[in-house]
Amino acid sequence: MWALAVLLGGLGLAAPILHGPRQSPQIALTFDADMTPGMLQMLRMGKVRSYNPTELYRLLEQNQVRATFFLSGLWIEAYPEQARALAQNPLFELENHSYSHPGFAQPCYGLPGVAPARKADEVLKTRALLEGLGVKNRYFRFPGGCYAPEDLALVERLGLQVVHWDVAGEDGGQADPKVIVRNVLGRVRNGSIVVLHSQGGPRLPATLPALRELIPALRARGFAFVKLSELLGSEGPFRLR
């Protein structure tokens, strides 16, 4: 991580934001709503019932948990009414997770690549979709966390800050909620940015039951849930540390 920070600094680039201030017990729960063309095809063919886990939103609402959703553009297009409802919910904020969820750098967890000439469109198309929901897009998260220095430079030129995480629940493909709970509770600190997934589907069977345990457990440790902009806004960005 430090080698990457030195490289990016030498290129005049700011590294991705990984966490907020460490002084106070606030954390940001962030959820990535992935949607690739392949996932969309599975949905349209009826091989996947839904990538819209309404029970997850209800759980957050019932517990008054403030959260940030990084939405892919294809997901917004697949669920426009749900995206609008999330945008209008004062508990939540929406940010940019690319349009079709490709790996900007390869290899990237099996994600398809994207031609360099199309990378700006991946950012701009979703920004336009968010703006259509009345959302001012501030942050961008690379699919899979995969990027090259030139990708970081591109996102900066487009006026967005790259925000990743310092705590990964690693819920993708995980069937045991206790593993997700252990991943989060074992790493979380003041100012942490926690990443989970919100698109549901067959690869995320344990995210919701894990959240049912995590929310009270994190509150019992004294953590308050805030939106990403609330975590970062007053103190400025905290990056590779």
Side-chain angles (χ1 to χ4, degrees):
M1 289 294 243
W2 281 108
L4 179 58
V6 170
L7 171 63
L8 295 174
L11 295 172
L13 299 172
I17 298 168
L18 300 185
H19 63 83
R22 296 298 194 190
Q23 291 84 0
S24 61
Q26 294 184 328
I27 59 174
L29 281 188
T30 68
F31 295 90
D32 292 355
D34 306 349
M35 182 71 79
T36 64
M39 291 169 64
L40 188 59
Q41 183 179 19
M42 295 284 282
L43 183 67
R44 289 173 173 168
M45 294 174 63
K47 294 185 177 181
V48 174
R49 185 175 63 84
S50 177
Y51 290 113
N52 182 31
T54 54
E55 288 183 42
L56 186 149
Y57 316 133
R58 281 198 295 271
L59 178 66
L60 297 175
E61 289 171 338
Q62 289 165 358
N63 289 275
Q64 289 295 287
V65 173
R66 302 167 83 81
T68 300
F69 292 87
F70 281 85
L71 305 182
S72 60
L74 285 178
W75 190 95
I76 296 172
E77 291 178 342
Y79 297 104
E81 295 307 314
Q82 183 65 74
R84 189 166 301 280
L86 293 174
Q88 294 173 351
N89 192 319
L91 284 174
F92 306 144
E93 66 184 356
L94 309 184
E95 297 296 344
N96 192 328
H97 196 40
S98 81
Y99 180 72
S100 63
H101 203 260
F104 276 62
Q106 293 292 328
C108 188
Y109 304 102
L111 293 175
V114 57
R118 293 186 54 224
K119 288 180 176 180
D121 283 345
E122 284 285 331
V123 181
L124 293 173
K125 287 173 73 172
T126 298
R127 183 163 76 182
L129 287 166
L130 290 169
E131 289 173 350
L133 298 172
V135 171
K136 178 176 174 55
N137 182 200
R138 291 160 290 190
Y139 306 127
F140 180 82
R141 176 171 287 167
F142 286 105
C146 304
Y147 66 92
E150 57 267 27
D151 302 320
L152 199 62
L154 169 67
V155 174
E156 288 194 359
R157 285 198 304 273
L158 296 176
L160 301 179
Q161 288 184 301
V162 176
V163 177
H164 283 181
W165 58 86
D166 64 333
V167 177
E170 299 179 25
D171 52 339
Q174 178 54 253
D176 186 351
K178 294 193 180 301
V179 173
I180 301 169
V181 171
R182 188 162 61 244
N183 288 341
V184 174
L185 294 183
R187 302 165 185 167
V188 69
R189 300 167 53 193
N190 288 359
S192 280
I193 298 172
V194 181
V195 61
L196 293 164
H197 291 82
S198 66
Q199 79 270 13
R203 290 194 66 254
L204 296 163
T207 305
L208 185 62
L211 272 174
R212 292 193 179 106
E213 292 187 45
L214 277 170
I215 290 169
L218 289 166
R219 280 188 166 144
R221 290 191 180 188
F223 292 114
F225 300 109
V226 297
K227 300 175 189 177
L228 191 55
S229 61
E230 294 168 334
L231 185 72
L232 301 177
S234 62
E235 298 290 339
F238 289 72
R239 301 179 188 272
L240 286 167
R241 299 183 186 175

